[in-house]
C-alpha cells in the first residue's frame, strides 16, 4: 500500500500547487487511516473522521474547520458496505478503488457510493477467460460467492504436462452459477485437439498426429508436416533426418550377393580352363567349342555385372548396369540359340541332297550371335539416347528412410529389353524342345531344353517380384535373378560335360561317341 499513498500524496501536492485547478484561498488536505481490513478499526476511523473534534462523539462538531469532501477507500465488499451505510447518513461521497460486489451499485441503497474499478464478478469472469485462453485448469475450486458469505480464495494455479481437471463456477450477483464445464487433461505434444461439436471450447478430445506430422507444444490446434528429408520421431514431437539406405557391400545381403557373384565367376573360369585344356577331346569339339567359349565368356561377364548393382548408385553405374546386363545376356542367350540351331541343321544336313549342308560351320553360329546381340545393342543405344537412367532419392517408399537408387529412365525401354531377352529364351526353348529326340551323343538339345526352362522360370517370376518390392530389395531381386538364371545355364549345359571330362574320361573318346551315335 505504500506506493498507493505516495502516488496519492504526490497528486494532492500537484493539485495544490497548480492555481489553474483551485482558487488561491482553497487547498486540499487528507488524513490517512490504516484499518488492516478489520471492521472495528474501520468504525473507529469513521467516528474519528466524521466529528470535527478530538473526541469521537457522533453528530457533534467541536471547533475543527476542515470540511470533509469525500472518503477514499479500498476495503473489501463487506467493509465497504458498512462504510457506505455510515457515510450515507452524512451525505459524504464514498469513492472505492478496490474490487466490490455488484450489490454496491444499487443506487437506492448506496446513493453516495462511487467505484473506480469493475465489480468482483467481472474479475471472476476475467479469471475464467484467462484460464480458457491459457488452457489452465483449476484444482476443483468453486469461485462462488453470495452477499454476506465468506469469500473463498483459490490457490495458485499450476501449469504442467499432467495437471488435473477441475470445475470452474463463476458466480452472478444473484448467486446463480454459470454452467459447470468439465475440462479434460491437456493434449501432450505429438497430439492434436479435436473439438467436440456442441461442447464448450475447453472440452475436446486428443488425437495422435497423422503419419508424417508432429506437434511440439501442448494443446496444439494442428499438426505440422515434416520436410521430405525428415520424419517424426517415435513420439511425433520433433522431426529427425531420415536414414539413407542402398544395397551396400557392408550389409549381410550385399555380402551374400557379392560372394555368390564371385564364386560363380570362379566356377565359370574353372570350366573355361577345363575346356581349353581338353580342347582337342571329342566332347569339346562335338558341341561347337567356339560357341561354348562365347557362352562361357558371356556368363562370366553376367556374374561380374552384378557388382554394378551393389554399392551407392552413381551416374556411371546407373548408365552401365542395365545396358551391360541386357547386352551381355543377349550374347549368352543367342549363343544358346545358335548351338541349338546348329544341332538341328547338322542332323538335317546329313540327309543326301539336302541344301542345308552349306550352312554348316562356324559362320552360322557366329552370324546368329552377332545378329541377335546387335539388335539388343541398338535397342540399348536408343534407350540411352531417349531417356537414360539416372540417380534419384526415393523419399516416400519406405517410412523413415531415403532410398538411393537408379531410375531406369524409360520404363518402356527397360521392359522392352527384358522382353527381347524373353523372346530369345522362348525361341531357344522351343527349338531345343523340338530337337530333343534327335539321335547321337553330339546332341545337347536336352540339356539346352532344361537350361532354358530354368532360365524362363526365373525371369517369369522376376517381374511380379520386382514390381512388389521396394527400396534396395528391388535391386537385390534383379541381382538374384541374374545370378540364378546364369547359374542355370552354366550348370545345365556345362557341368555334365565336365563330369565326363574329369570323372569319366573313358566316355570322352571318338569311338564311344561314334558307337553310341
Amino acid at each position: 500500500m505504500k506506493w498507493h499513498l505516495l502516488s496519492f500524496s504526490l497528486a494532492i501536492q500537484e493539485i495544490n500547487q497548480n492555481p489553474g485547478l483551485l482558487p488561491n484561498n482553497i487547498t486540499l488536505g487528507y488524513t490517512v487511516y490504516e484499518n488492516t481490513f478489520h471492521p472495528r478499526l474501520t468504525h473507529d476511523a469513521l467516528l474519528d473522521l466524521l466529528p470535527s473534534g478530538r473526541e469521537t462523539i457522533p453528530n457533534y462538531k467541536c471547533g475543527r474547520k476542515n470540511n470533509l469532501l469525500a472518503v477514499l477507500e479500498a476495503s473489501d465488499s463487506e467493509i465497504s458496505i458498512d462504510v457506505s451505510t455510515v457515510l450515507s447518513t452524512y451525505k459524504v461521497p464514498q469513492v472505492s478503488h478496490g474490487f466490490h460486489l455488484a450489490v454496491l451499485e444499487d443506487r437506492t441503497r448506496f446513493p453516495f457510493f462511487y467505484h473506480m474499478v469493475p465489480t468482483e464478478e467481472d474479475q471472476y469472469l476475467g479469471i475464467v477467460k484467462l484460464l480458457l485462453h491459457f488452457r489452465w485448469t483449476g484444482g476443483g475450486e468453486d469461485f462462488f460467492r453470495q452477499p454476506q458469505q465468506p469469500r473463498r480464495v483459490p490457490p495458485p494455479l499450476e501449469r504442467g504436462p499432467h495437471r488435473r481437471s477441475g470445475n470452474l463456477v463463476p458466480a452472478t450477483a444473484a448467486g446463480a452459477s454459470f454452467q459447470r464445464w468439465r475440462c479434460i487433461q491437456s493434449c501432450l505434444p505429438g497430439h492434436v485437439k479435436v473439438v467436440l461439436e456442441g461442447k464448450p471450447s475447453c472440452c475436446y478430445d486428443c488425437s495422435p498426429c497423422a503419419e508424417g506430422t508432429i506437434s511440439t507444444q501442448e494443446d496444439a490446434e494442428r499438426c505440422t508436416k515434416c520436410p521430405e528429408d525428415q520424419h517424426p520421431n517415435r513420439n511425433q514431437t520433433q522431426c529427425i533426418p531420415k536414414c539413407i539406405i542402398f544395397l551396400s557391400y557392408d550389409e549381410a545381403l550385399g555380402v551374400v550377393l557379392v560372394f555368390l557373384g564371385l564364386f560363380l565367376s570362379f566356377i565359370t573360369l574353372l570350366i573355361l580352363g577345363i575346356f581349353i585344356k581338353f580342347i582337342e577331346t571329342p566332347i569339346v569339339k562335338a558341341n561347337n567349342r567356339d560357341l561354348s567359349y562365347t557362352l562361357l565368356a558371356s556368363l562370366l561377364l553376367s556374374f561380374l555385372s552384378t557388382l554394378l548393382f551393389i554399392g551407392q548408385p552413381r551416374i556411371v553405374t546407373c548408365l552401365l548396369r542395365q545396358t551391360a546386363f541386357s547386352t551381355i545376356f543377349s550374347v549368352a542367350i543367342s549363343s544358346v540359340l545358335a548351338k541349338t540351331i546348329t544341332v538341328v541343321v547338322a542332323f538335317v544336313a546329313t540327309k543326301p541332297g539336302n541344301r542345308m549342308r552349306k550352312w554348316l560351320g562356324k559362320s552360322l553360329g557366329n552370324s546368329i550371335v552377332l545378329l541377335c546381340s546387335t539388335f539388343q545393342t541398338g535397342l540399348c543405344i536408343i534407350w540411352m539416347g531417349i531417356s537414360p537412367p539416372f540417380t534419384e532419392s526415393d523419399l516416400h517408399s519406405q517410412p523413415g528412410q531415403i532410398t538411393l537408387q537408379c531410375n531406369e529412365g524409360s520404363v518402356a525401354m527397360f521392359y522392352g529389353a527384358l522382353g527381347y531377352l524373353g523372346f530369345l529364351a522362348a525361341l531357344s526353348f522351343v527349338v531345343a524342345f523340338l530337337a530333343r529326340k534327335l539321335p547321337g551323343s553330339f546332341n545337347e538339345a536336352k540339356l539346352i531344353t532344361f537350361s532354358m526352362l530354368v532360365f524362363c522360370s526365373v525371369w517369369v517370376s522376376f517381374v511380379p517380384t520386382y514390381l512388389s518390392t521396394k527400396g534396395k530389395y528391388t535391386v537385390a531381386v534383379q541381382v538374384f535373378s541374374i545370378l540364378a538364371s546364369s547359374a542355370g545355364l552354366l550348370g545345365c549345359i556345362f557341368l555334365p560335360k565336365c563330369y565326363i571330362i574329369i570323372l569319366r574320361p573313358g566316355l570322352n573318346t571318338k569311338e564311344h561317341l561314334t558307337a553310341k551315335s
Side-chain angles (χ1 to χ4, degrees):
M1 294 298 290
K2 182 177 181 180
W3 64 272
H4 281 164
L5 295 177
L6 291 176
S7 59
F8 176 76
S9 176
L10 179 61
I12 295 297
Q13 183 178 354
E14 291 293 329
I15 293 173
N16 289 333
Q17 293 178 355
N18 190 339
L21 296 178
L22 292 176
N24 293 332
N25 58 345
I26 297 178
T27 58
L28 294 179
Y30 59 89
T31 304
V32 178
Y33 293 90
E34 174 60 60
N35 64 347
T36 66
F37 297 98
H38 194 281
R40 186 181 63 80
L41 296 179
T42 303
H43 293 161
D44 289 344
L46 285 173
L47 293 177
D48 183 66
L49 179 64
L50 290 174
S52 298
R54 294 183 178 180
E55 298 181 4
T56 55
I57 303 174
N59 298 326
Y60 283 89
K61 296 182 180 181
C62 301
R64 189 178 299 174
K65 296 181 180 180
N66 296 335
N67 296 321
L68 181 61
L69 298 180
V71 174
L72 278 66
E73 53 91 14
S75 304
D76 59 12
S77 296
E78 287 85 354
I79 296 179
S80 293
I81 291 174
D82 296 338
V83 171
S84 182
T85 302
V86 175
L87 293 181
S88 61
T89 304
Y90 297 92
K91 296 181 173 56
V92 176
Q94 176 186 359
V95 180
S96 175
H97 57 88
F99 301 119
H100 60 276
L101 292 175
V103 66
L104 285 168
E105 295 186 357
D106 186 354
R107 308 308 298 173
T108 304
R109 294 180 56 190
F110 309 101
F112 297 98
F113 179 81
Y114 302 93
H115 61 89
M116 301 172 63
V117 294
T119 62
E120 289 185 4
E121 287 79 2
D122 293 331
Q123 307 307 309
Y124 299 147
L125 292 177
I127 291 174
V128 172
K129 290 181 179 179
L130 284 175
L131 294 175
L132 295 178
H133 177 76
F134 290 105
R135 300 178 181 90
W136 294 339
T137 54
E141 295 292 335
D142 288 340
F143 298 100
F144 184 88
R145 182 170 174 242
Q146 292 181 351
Q148 288 84 41
Q149 288 185 340
R151 178 170 56 184
R152 299 179 61 184
V153 180
L157 296 172
E158 297 179 357
R159 296 204 66 193
H162 301 289
R163 53 184 185 273
R164 298 179 59 82
S165 60
N167 300 325
L168 301 178
V169 189
T172 62
S177 64
F178 289 94
Q179 179 182 2
R180 189 178 298 263
W181 295 340
R182 181 71 174 178
C183 297
I184 67 168
Q185 183 177 351
S186 296
C187 294
L188 298 177
H191 295 74
V192 64
K193 289 170 54 176
V194 179
V195 178
L196 301 177
E197 186 176 356
K199 300 292 184 180
S201 59
C202 68
C203 297
Y204 49 84
D205 284 336
C206 299
S207 177
C209 289
E211 184 177 356
T213 61
I214 64 167
S215 64
T216 59
Q217 60 184 7
E218 294 181 355
D219 292 337
E221 299 289 344
R222 63 180 181 274
C223 296
T224 306
K225 188 176 182 180
C226 288
E228 289 191 343
D229 59 344
Q230 298 181 359
H231 70 109
N233 61 354
R234 185 175 183 180
N235 297 326
Q236 292 184 281
T237 56
Q238 62 177 339
C239 294
I240 57 178
K242 292 182 178 179
C243 298
I244 298 177
I245 64 168
F246 53 87
L247 185 59
S248 68
Y249 295 99
D250 299 329
E251 60 181 304
L253 181 58
V255 171
V256 170
L257 294 176
V258 169
F259 172 78
L260 288 177
L262 296 177
F263 175 76
L264 292 173
S265 299
F266 172 76
I267 297 298
T268 305
L269 286 174
L270 184 62
I271 294 175
L272 182 59
I274 293 173
F275 268 59
I276 293 175
K277 182 177 182 180
F278 297 92
I279 189 173
E280 299 298 332
T281 59
I283 198 168
V284 176
K285 291 181 177 181
N287 292 281
N288 199 328
R289 58 189 176 189
D290 291 336
L291 288 178
S292 296
Y293 294 153
T294 303
L295 178 57
L296 285 172
S298 60
L299 290 177
L300 175 62
L301 293 177
S302 296
F303 292 132
L304 294 177
S305 69
T306 58
L307 300 179
L308 294 173
F309 291 81
I310 304 174
Q312 182 174 349
R314 303 188 185 278
I315 296 178
V316 175
T317 56
C318 288
L319 290 173
L320 289 178
R321 61 168 58 173
Q322 297 299 346
T323 55
F325 154 70
S326 301
T327 304
I328 294 171
F329 248 52
S330 67
V331 174
I333 302 174
S334 60
S335 299
V336 175
L337 178 62
K339 289 171 72 68
T340 308
I341 294 177
T342 301
V343 171
V344 174
V345 172
F347 280 96
V348 172
T350 57
K351 296 180 181 180
N354 196 295
R355 297 181 179 180
M356 297 292 293
R357 185 180 298 273
K358 64 180 180 179
W359 293 100
L360 291 176
K362 298 179 180 180
S363 59
L364 177 61
N366 294 338
S367 299
I368 293 175
V369 174
L370 183 62
L371 179 64
C372 295
S373 59
T374 300
F375 182 86
Q376 181 75 308
T377 302
L379 193 65
C380 291
I381 292 175
I382 296 174
W383 182 3
M384 295 300 104
I386 296 176
S387 180
F390 57 91
T391 59
E392 71 170 1
S393 300
D394 185 359
L395 303 173
H396 307 291
S397 296
Q398 300 291 332
Q401 296 177 344
I402 298 177
T403 304
L404 300 182
Q405 61 186 15
C406 290
N407 188 304
E408 309 308 341
S410 174
V411 178
M413 297 300 294
F414 172 71
Y415 285 104
L418 286 181
Y420 179 70
L421 294 178
F423 167 75
L424 292 180
L427 184 60
S428 300
F429 174 76
V430 172
V431 175
F433 181 79
L434 295 176
R436 73 190 188 281
K437 293 184 179 180
L438 293 177
S441 298
F442 298 95
N443 183 12
E444 58 179 349
K446 293 181 180 179
L447 300 178
I448 294 176
T449 301
F450 187 71
S451 66
M452 297 314 299
L453 182 63
V454 174
F455 183 92
C456 293
S457 300
V458 170
W459 286 102
V460 167
S461 61
F462 162 78
V463 175
T465 307
Y466 182 84
L467 295 175
S468 61
T469 54
K470 296 180 180 180
K472 63 181 180 181
Y473 299 104
T474 302
V475 180
V477 167
Q478 186 171 2
V479 172
F480 179 79
S481 299
I482 295 173
L483 294 176
S485 57
S486 300
L489 293 178
L490 182 68
C492 295
I493 295 177
F494 292 101
L495 286 185
K497 297 179 177 62
C498 292
Y499 172 76
I500 294 175
I501 293 172
I502 302 299
L503 301 179
R504 302 291 298 274
L507 302 180
N508 189 16
T509 61
K510 184 176 181 180
E511 293 77 11
H512 175 76
L513 295 177
T514 304
K516 188 174 180 181
S517 177

